[in-house]
Amino acid sequence: MKKLLLVFALMLALFAGIFFTLNKTVPNVTFTTLNGEQMSFENLRGKPVIVTFWATDCQSCLKEIPLWLDLYSRYHAQGLEIIAVTMYYDPPNHVIEFTKMRPLPYPITLDIEAKLANAFGGVKVTPTTFLLNSAGKIVWHKIGLFDSAELQPQIETFLKK
């Protein structure tokens, strides 16, 4: 009985976290990509943005990369931005080596101090993905491997606006 209550409490906390995250405007956090480019969420307003938290040792994260590449090639020219945020526990040298072996077209940033993870409600699990609308509000949130068929219609809706 205690295990059942604990599981219920954990699930309730997870769903509450997702509910309270949706429609929240992301704070104007500035971050630096691996290429040295300074970016802020304020400068990304006006276009849909996908923010995905990942780690080089996360198998599900690695499975998502072809999906991100497909979405990026399909929608970036129309205004979609994708930002990959590596988790604070992922050693920077692993990330740099990974991107040398597998260059990615979208910006990648290190989150060494967990500032971005905290700005998105305390992300702890990878992969975790957010879709922000053009006003910078979180309109979709997924913990775990995402399904592009679920995400694509939402992206297209925001690109048509």
Side-chain angles (χ1 to χ4, degrees):
M1 183 68 169
K2 285 183 182 181
K3 277 187 176 181
L4 184 59
L5 286 174
L6 180 62
V7 169
F8 178 73
L10 288 172
M11 289 181 67
L12 184 61
L14 176 66
F15 289 121
I18 291 170
F19 176 76
F20 289 116
T21 301
L22 293 178
N23 286 316
K24 175 184 174 195
T25 301
V26 175
N28 187 28
V29 179
T30 300
F31 53 95
T32 305
T33 68
L34 289 182
N35 297 337
E37 181 184 0
Q38 290 281 318
M39 297 180 82
S40 73
F41 288 109
E42 185 64 34
N43 292 341
L44 295 169
R45 300 268 195 270
K47 56 178 77 174
V49 178
I50 292 173
V51 179
T52 182
F53 289 85
W54 70 293
T56 57
D57 64 351
C58 165
Q59 292 304 310
S60 294
C61 300
L62 301 179
K63 285 181 186 176
E64 284 186 339
I65 290 176
L67 302 172
W68 293 132
L69 292 172
D70 178 57
L71 290 174
Y72 188 85
S73 68
R74 192 176 299 195
Y75 298 114
H76 180 69
Q78 297 172 51
L80 176 69
E81 292 293 342
I82 297 175
I83 300 166
V85 180
T86 59
M87 294 298 286
Y88 59 91
Y89 54 78
D90 203 357
N93 61 324
H94 289 186
V95 177
I96 292 166
E97 285 304 313
F98 180 89
T99 58
K100 283 181 183 175
M101 292 177 5
R102 190 169 188 174
L104 300 172
Y106 44 83
I108 299 170
T109 185
L110 300 172
D111 194 23
I112 296 168
E113 297 175 5
K115 288 180 182 177
L116 292 171
N118 289 333
F120 280 84
V123 174
K124 303 267 187 244
V125 178
T126 58
T128 296
T129 304
F130 298 87
L131 173 62
L132 285 61
N133 66 13
S134 59
K137 290 189 181 231
I138 298 170
V139 294
W140 185 84
H141 176 203
K142 173 74 175 176
I143 297 172
L145 196 61
F146 81 97
D147 178 7
S148 61
E150 178 185 345
L151 186 55
Q152 240 175 299
Q154 294 187 58
I155 294 169
E156 290 174 0
T157 298
F158 292 119
L159 290 173
K160 290 178 185 175
K161 290 183 178 182

